[in-house]
Amino acid sequence: MAAIDLPSFAVPGSMSPSFMDTGVTQEGAQVDDYIPRKGGRYQVGFTFGPYTPENARLMIARLVAGKQGGIRVKLPVLHDQGSPGTPLLNGAVTTGRTLVLDGLTASYEIKEGFWLSLVKSGQHYLHSVGVGTTADGSGNATIELNELLRTDFADNTVVNLAEPQVEGLVQGNEASWTTPVNRLTGIQFTIKERA
């Protein structure tokens, strides 16, 4: 089942992201060492609303459907990430942290801490920029991510810098919400990215 998109009016009121690292810290008598491993991903708690009964009806329906197939949320970035153009991967990548991009707006600055999502078969994979750069006059740039790629990506994979999205399964065994006497419904849930 494909991930559910929230209604267009659904803008998170807050988010609580966390990174689930799959790397290992190896401790020894002489040295401590960190060993990175593929598979690290994000878990994000969101709050939405409060919503009127009509909008709450839509949000609740999407939450219940997303509990079974996953939900996709536009990540509320802390600052405007500008107009990146139509960035794509320039060449396939199978491992590592380095992405070579093309299709960027000339001189677009990709800053450390920017968020992006790579889109593979309709699924968004959230990543954070560790080492940014400025695109050259032809719209090309090379960046380094904070975390290792979890999967391989083909040449011309879409790189969503303008509106990065996080996609995953709703956590917990239930989907619940509260409707107070004023009938304005606040909704909160946590999603964890798929492996």
Side-chain angles (χ1 to χ4, degrees):
M1 180 182 260
I4 302 295
D5 286 308
L6 294 177
S8 59
F9 62 78
V11 177
S14 68
M15 71 171 181
S16 301
S18 58
F19 179 64
M20 297 175 299
D21 192 9
T22 54
V24 175
T25 300
Q26 186 175 22
E27 296 182 11
Q30 301 293 324
V31 68
D32 292 342
D33 198 16
Y34 176 78
I35 303 168
R37 291 185 179 165
K38 283 177 81 168
R41 55 192 190 271
Y42 288 92
Q43 177 172 290
V44 186
F46 291 103
T47 61
F48 291 87
Y51 292 117
T52 62
E54 184 64 15
N55 285 351
R57 175 186 60 79
L58 284 171
M59 285 293 290
I60 291 166
R62 301 282 174 95
L63 175 59
V64 171
K67 178 70 181 134
Q68 301 165 67
I71 285 184
R72 185 179 303 122
V73 179
K74 290 179 184 174
L75 198 72
V77 295
L78 296 175
H79 50 78
D80 183 19
Q81 294 190 181
S83 300
T86 54
L88 303 171
L89 285 183
N90 184 357
V93 290
T94 57
T95 188
R97 302 174 194 269
T98 303
L99 300 180
V100 179
L101 310 177
D102 59 17
L104 292 158
T105 301
S107 301
Y108 174 75
E109 186 178 3
I110 305 171
K111 296 179 181 178
E112 178 182 2
F114 269 22
W115 292 98
L116 61 86
S117 55
L118 297 162
V119 185
K120 178 180 178 178
S121 301
Q123 179 177 339
H124 286 254
Y125 294 80
L126 185 65
H127 286 282
S128 170
V129 175
V131 179
T133 191
T134 300
D136 66 19
S138 299
N140 301 313
T142 300
I143 60 171
E144 186 173 317
L145 303 174
N146 276 317
E147 56 286 305
L148 292 171
L149 293 168
R150 300 197 311 270
T151 186
D152 60 315
F153 294 96
D155 183 33
N156 291 325
T157 292
V158 171
V159 180
N160 197 339
L161 271 158
E163 289 187 334
Q165 299 181 46
V166 59
E167 175 179 332
L169 297 173
V170 177
Q171 297 302 286
N173 293 325
E174 64 180 36
S176 61
W177 53 92
T178 302
T179 304
V181 292
N182 67 7
R183 301 178 65 208
L184 296 177
T185 304
I187 296 171
Q188 59 185 24
F189 57 85
T190 297
I191 61 176
K192 180 166 114 176
E193 284 193 287
R194 301 171 197 260

